[in-house]
Every structure is written in structure tokens, then in C-alpha cells.
Amino acid sequence: MTYKTTRKVRIGNIEVGGDSRKTVQTMWKKSLDLFSGEDLEEILNLEDVGCDILRFSVPNFRTAGILAEIKRNINMPLVADIHFDYKIALECIKNGIDKIRINPGNIGDEWKVKEVLQAAADKNIPIRIGINTGSLDKTFNDISDKAEAMLKSAESEINILEKYNFTNALFSLKSSDIESTLRANREFSRRWDYPLHLGVTEAGPLTAGLVKSSIAISQMLNQGIGDTIRVSLTDKPIQEVIAGREILRACGMYANGVDIVSCPRCGRSTFDTHEFISSVYDELYRVKKNLKVAVMGCIVNGPGEASDADIGITGAGTKVVIFKHGKIYRKVDENKGREEFLKVLEEFVR
Amino acid sequence: MTYKTTRKVRIGNIEVGGDSRKTVQTMWKKSLDLFSGEDLEEILNLEDVGCDILRFSVPNFRTAGILAEIKRNINMPLVADIHFDYKIALECIKNGIDKIRINPGNIGDEWKVKEVLQAAADKNIPIRIGINTGSLDKTFNDISDKAEAMLKSAESEINILEKYNFTNALFSLKSSDIESTLRANREFSRRWDYPLHLGVTEAGPLTAGLVKSSIAISQMLNQGIGDTIRVSLTDKPIQEVIAGREILRACGMYANGVDIVSCPRCGRSTFDTHEFISSVYDELYRVKKNLKVAVMGCIVNGPGEASDADIGITGAGTKVVIFKHGKIYRKVDENKGREEFLKVLEEFVR
């Protein structure tokens, strides 16, 4: 193995790095100024479907205060994302945040970074140095090779960290193209043992972003690179969390929760598998057990896939058939399908 | 290279296999019985966003007739997907379909397959033998190793094809799990030179399905395996087509059309990048030129990414800024953003 085993850091009640389990992160996308009770529900649901760590953009002191209040109601570790103003970082640390992310490209003079490091050291919380090709410090902006530019930026930050004996750090090196992201993270992992937060930045809308992120992140994980992942999508946070889980699962690093095998639909069946899954989506992803669930349109592949699944549902004319471990359990009218299916799911969860 | 270079087959006006460009397929998901003018528009749009080949499930003679009518209005090659009844395959061939897909697990006796082969040979159209683990012939259903079961099924079909001197064939070996799919396709490519249609079957709903498909298909393409791809998703056909394009692009096999770099959003900006992209989604994917488009929330990464893009749009307070090749082109109210953006896109397309 040419890549270093990373050291461990602790983010709230979660350990990242070394032989810790790989964790999934996402970011809150709405303004904290408008935070509501419904938003809190959404965050609790994110935790329930597998989010390990949640990050918030904190653009000013007012939102730092709001975040401090939110933190009282949430178990999962929270991260404050700070740009431009180091004083907001200090405020969040004072308020008990679990981790700070700063962007070396825009936090300014070294003495500001030093103050943040000292405050974090006092509270024993880690800092992620989040390097993005879209917002590099001017010093590195002229390097035409994006991977090289990110690595130079990382090196410069590591020199500052080490000068102040701050080792409780993680790094990310994200580009919007796969190739630079891979190259930068591989070289980083050869040279340093800071835990790596993986992602492709500004990866795009759901479909395009998932393709880029899945390919890049899985390649790194399969090579032994990466400790925590964030799939960056121009879409809802829940999709980022589920994508993170699924990438870990595809790499053999996630064994909890459902694996959904489902029919793409074709003109053969009237059972709308797409609509059915949408109607039970959050319920499925809240399951903590390792279950295989088959949602199939018709008899071509339906019973075949269902025979291999813990729970299966297949269209059959105007009815649906529900399977348990490959055996027909019930045949009900399509409009009763959801209810019966959720009952069976509930049995498996208990 | 341990994998064979595949022979070429022709599907309508498209060549698949050997050194031909890799093509993207999808499948029509609604019943042909309900086919409308709106559906025809949707199909023309699929072609416009990059679909090369479109497949229809043809469960009976009535729908075979409807498909024959549809074919008169569409340039792109069409494929008839046949299960159980070989006579429907014969009817579609008679009606001028460009390719037939049959599933060896359910088409029945060898003499039926032979009749289909003869009819296809007479019209010089190819046949895809589509092997799925969910619907294997009973003979192979008891083999516990899914990859091995698919390969045995393929071998048996190839023996029949060769017995009747039919070489105008493609194959697919699809499982709902990545590992069996990879293993089966790798071994197939070591042994035979029939063009391969790649996919993970019943891959799941959009997010989970994209993760599985992207990882599996990109690994095969990067190893030199695969001639045409279909991303199977429990979602709309347009997502399958865009996913196919993006997988090819990530593997360096697609250079036409937009590469969208877009911000996932955070609490920092009021510009809703998600909504904005949704509002110009089809227009973006209809572009035939190789363009980089950046849709960014705010000034953190916005101008940085936009400087590298052909066209960029970034939120700036209640305004949006449109960039051309990194230079600010216009600053307009957010509600004029879409219109101005599409004007600039139009200029690039012309």
C-alpha cells in the first residue's frame, strides 16, 4: 500500500480516520435565518436515513447564534462552514460546535488562522481544511494543473498547522473534474496521514452529479483512500445521504439498511414501481437492518428477483403480490399495496 | 488486453461494436396501448438529449402494430423487447423493427428461437440475447453463482446461434448486484467477441440505481469492455439517457454536449441553483456542442468556477451575474436570469 493509514480525529461522538467506519456527510442547503420546526424534522430524518455529520454554512454572527440553538436539539455532530471572517469561526467554537471547516483560500492572514487553531485546540475540536479548485488562494490560482494547485495549497496549510502544533485536522481536495480530484487525493495520501474527506465539488444536478461522484469516490475508496464522504449534488440533502450510503455499500463498506432492487418499468406492467418506491422512500431508508427489498413491475423478472429478496412486491394485473423470503405472502389490490408492504417491512424491522 | 475486440453489428443507421463510438440506450416505460402525441414529443426529446437506440416492450400483437406506426415517425433505431411468445418477434421483424431482444429464459423451445433467427437473418437485423439473473432458464437457475449461471446461459445460446450460422448478435449479462455483473461480463469478453450491451438490472430508484450503474459500467468501460450501455433506473427515461452520457463522459468516451458544474447550494445564497437548473434542464442537455456550464450559488466558488466555464451564472444578492468565458457579461434581476442565460446559450449553440 502506497497510501498512508490516516490518524484518527473525533467529531462529537463520531470517530473519523484510521480503521474507523467510513462516515457519510451532507450540508444544510437553506438559510439558517429561515430555520423552522419543519427543518428540524428534516434534519432528524436525515440522521435517521444515515447521515453521520451535518454541516451548515455560517455567513454571519446572527446565523452562528441560530446554529447554537439548533445544536441543542440534535445528537449528530454539527460542523460550521466558515468563509472570509475568522471571527465567526471563533464564535461557533465558543458556542460548542463539533468541527469547523475553513477554506484557506479566503480566511486571510496567518494570524487569523492561528487564532482559530488556538480556539479549536482549547475545545479539542477538529478543523477541516477544505480546498476547492473554484476558490484557491491567489498564490495557487495561477498553477494550471488543478491537482498540483490543490496540493500546494494543502502543503502551505499543513506548514501553518504544524508550526502551531495543531494536528487535529482533516483535509479535503475537491475539484469539479474527476481526474484532478483523483490525482490530488492520491498524492495527498502518499504524503500525509491527515484523514481525508472525499468529494467532487460542484458535481452538478442529481443525475450528472451522482455519476461523477460515484465514479470518483468509489475509485478512491477501493484504493484505500478516504475516511468520510460527502456527495455534493444540486439537489436535496437526503439524496446526498442516500448516495453516500450507496457508494459505501458498493465498496463493501456499508452493511446496514435496505438494498433496493427495483424494476425500471416497461410497457408490460401497469404497476408503477417508480411511484410505489416514492411512496415508501423514507420508510425504506430509515430501516437499520440489512434487508434486500425487490420492487418489481411484472412476472418477467419479478418472482425471480423476489425469491432472492427478504421482501418483494410485484405487479400482477390489477393486484400486487407481496413476497417474504421468496414465498408468496399476500395478494392484494394495488391500492392496498403500500399499506400491506409497510406492515411486512415493520415485521422485519422488529 | 485479455478482452476480445468485438465484431460490429448494425442497428438501423447505427453501428455497435469494435471501434464504433459507444452508444446510449433507454427503454420506453409506458404501455404502447396508451401511446399519444405527447409521448412522440417525449421520444423526439430523448433523441435530442442523446439517446441513440430506444427499446419497447411488446407484450402482444396489438402493441406490435402500434410500434410499427410509431416507427414511421422516428429516425433513431428502435428495438422490440420480446418475452414468452416468439410469434410477436416475428411480427415485429416483419414490421421493420431495427433489432430484437429476446430473453433465452422464457422464449421456449429451440425451434422457436430458430424461427426468429431465420426471420432476422432474412431482414439482416441483429438480435440481442438479454440474460438477466432474475429470469434465467430453469436449467441454469440452480447454479448458485450468478455470474456462472449467466455465462452458462450465454454459452448455451451461442451454441444455438452458431448451429444456425447466425452471427449478427449482441449479448447482455445483467445482475442486480455489481460484483456478479462485473465478473460475468469480464469472463464473457475473454471468451467471445459478440458486442456487449452493459447494464446493471433492476438497479433501483434514481439515486441508488445511479450509484450502482455508474460504478459497474465505468469499471467495465475503463477496462475495454462494452459497446452500448443502458442505465436501468426506476425513474424517467430521460434520466437514463443523461446518466448514460455522463458515464461515457467520465470514461472519456463522450465529448458532445454540456458538462454542468453546479453548486449544491448552502445557506449562504438565495439563488436557488437546483430550481434554476430544473428550469433549463432539457435546453442544456439538447446542446450538441462540448460546453462547460457553471451554475453557482454565490461568490465563494462562483466566479472561480465560472472563469473556467464557457457560460457561467452566479447568484449575487437579489441579482444574478452571467459570465461568458470568465468575463462578466450581464448582471440582471434573478427573475430575468433564465431568459438571459438561454440567450447566451443560444449564441454558443449557433
Side-chain angles (χ1 to χ4, degrees), chain A residues 160-343:
Chain A
I160 298 174
L161 295 179
E162 295 187 347
K163 187 163 153 190
Y164 299 108
N165 288 315
F166 189 91
T167 55
N168 198 11
L170 303 90
F171 276 77
S172 61
L173 297 89
K174 301 184 185 180
S175 160
S176 58
D177 79 85
I178 297 175
E179 192 271 335
S180 312
T181 304
L182 292 178
R183 209 147 38 83
N185 282 277
R186 283 178 188 145
E187 182 57 23
F188 185 96
S189 303
R190 280 188 202 102
R191 291 170 64 182
W192 295 292
D193 70 350
Y194 291 99
L196 271 173
H197 161 125
L198 302 183
V200 175
T201 192
E202 286 97 37
L206 190 60
T207 299
L210 278 168
V211 170
K212 283 188 208 171
S213 301
S214 302
I215 294 175
I217 296 173
S218 68
Q219 280 192 30
M220 293 187 275
L221 290 172
N222 283 333
Q223 293 179 331
I225 296 171
D227 301 290
T228 181
I229 69 176
R230 190 263 172 125
V231 180
S232 177
L233 299 170
T234 308
D235 211 287
K236 300 208 175 89
I238 190 170
Q239 302 300 350
E240 297 190 355
V241 173
I242 291 168
R245 282 173 58 152
E246 293 298 318
I247 292 172
L248 290 180
R249 180 193 305 280
C251 297
M253 297 168 179
Y254 195 95
N256 269 327
V258 293
D259 182 19
I260 305 174
V261 171
S262 69
C263 192
R265 295 194 75 193
C266 69
R268 186 166 281 282
S269 160
T270 56
F271 180 49
D272 188 339
T273 52
H274 185 184
E275 194 187 285
F276 181 79
I277 291 185
S278 301
S279 78
V280 296
Y281 199 73
D282 287 22
E283 284 89 344
L284 279 172
Y285 282 108
R286 276 193 218 118
V287 170
K288 303 287 184 287
K289 277 189 187 165
N290 186 10
L291 283 187
K292 184 170 171 183
V293 177
V295 179
M296 307 298 295
C298 78
I299 48 165
V300 171
N301 295 311
E305 289 291 348
S307 74
D308 199 27
D310 298 290
I311 309 178
I313 182 166
T314 303
T318 60
K319 303 261 182 183
V320 295
V321 180
I322 296 174
F323 294 83
K324 273 165 76 168
H325 293 306
K327 295 217 171 70
I328 293 182
Y329 171 67
R330 294 197 72 172
K331 188 169 186 170
V332 297
D333 286 342
E334 205 177 312
N335 61 11
K336 296 269 183 214
R338 178 174 185 274
E339 190 184 327
E340 287 299 323
F341 177 87
L342 288 177
K343 269 189 213 163

Side-chain angles (χ1 to χ4, degrees), chain A residues 38-96:
Chain A
E38 230 169 74
D39 290 335
L40 184 63
E41 288 300 313
E42 188 180 337
I43 291 176
L44 296 173
N45 190 47
L46 287 176
E47 191 173 5
D48 222 9
V49 300
C51 182
D52 295 303
I53 299 164
L54 181 62
R55 178 161 50 116
F56 291 84
S57 191
V58 189
N60 50 45
F61 279 82
R62 196 177 58 251
T63 47
I66 296 168
L67 181 56
E69 276 198 48
I70 293 169
K71 184 153 171 52
R72 280 175 218 123
N73 298 294
I74 295 169
N75 282 320
M76 113 181 101
L78 304 187
V79 183
D81 195 82
I82 312 289
H83 294 277
F84 307 114
D85 189 349
Y86 79 105
K87 285 187 188 156
I88 303 168
L90 298 180
E91 178 74 6
C92 290
I93 294 171
K94 194 187 80 186
N95 290 346

Side-chain angles (χ1 to χ4, degrees), chain B residues 54-85:
Chain B
L54 180 63
R55 179 161 50 118
F56 291 84
S57 190
V58 189
N60 51 45
F61 279 82
R62 196 176 58 250
T63 46
I66 296 168
L67 181 56
E69 276 198 45
I70 294 169
K71 184 153 170 52
R72 280 175 218 124
N73 298 295
I74 296 169
N75 282 319
M76 122 180 94
L78 303 186
V79 183
D81 196 81
I82 311 290
H83 294 275
F84 307 113
D85 188 349

